[in-house]
Amino acid sequence: MQTPVVAVPKNIASGFHALSDPLRISVLELLRQQEQCVCDLCSVLNVTQSKLSFHLKTLKEAGLVNSRQEGRWIYYSLNIPQFAVLEAYLAEFRHISQILPAASCSED
């Protein structure tokens, strides 16, 4: 199932939150190579299915991975458009040439 891509503050924050865990980064690295079944990810990462399911849920809620069911297995793949949203968000900071000082506070 393809995850919609929306660039709103909540999605940006959940994307970076999902990227903040070493195990989730390892999952994403494996998915860079090819779509993976939960059982294969568990085996390679040497984690239980319940632990991995928690992390996959976080990645999916952040829109970073897609899932599809085939029989009794669920396969995960990267949702590249959401990575592009996060990349574009960060790229905007490169275009800031000068940060203006704060305006003086007006006291009544």
Side-chain angles (χ1 to χ4, degrees):
M1 160 172 43
Q2 194 72 1
T3 305
V5 177
V6 182
V8 295
K10 181 181 175 192
N11 289 11
I12 298 295
S14 66
F16 287 116
H17 167 73
L19 293 170
S20 70
D21 184 88
L23 179 58
R24 292 192 289 264
I25 296 292
S26 296
V27 168
L28 295 173
E29 288 298 321
L30 290 169
L31 296 179
R32 284 173 72 152
Q33 300 166 21
Q34 69 181 49
E35 179 182 64
Q36 298 274 335
C37 162
V38 171
C39 59
D40 292 335
L41 288 168
C42 286
S43 177
V44 170
L45 296 169
N46 197 29
V47 295
T48 63
Q49 186 169 349
S50 61
K51 181 175 183 173
L52 185 60
S53 291
F54 168 79
H55 290 286
L56 287 167
K57 180 179 182 237
T58 301
L59 290 168
K60 190 166 181 184
E61 287 174 349
L64 297 176
V65 298
N66 296 314
S67 65
R68 69 176 180 85
Q69 188 164 355
E70 187 174 303
R72 57 182 260 207
W73 301 111
I74 298 177
Y75 292 86
Y76 288 88
S77 61
L78 295 179
N79 183 25
I80 300 301
Q82 187 63 23
F83 284 92
V85 168
L86 296 178
E87 181 182 20
Y89 174 79
L90 288 176
E92 287 298 316
F93 287 94
R94 288 194 311 246
H95 302 294
I96 299 172
S97 59
Q98 180 182 10
I99 297 176
L100 299 174
S104 297
C105 292
S106 59
E107 294 183 30
D108 293 326

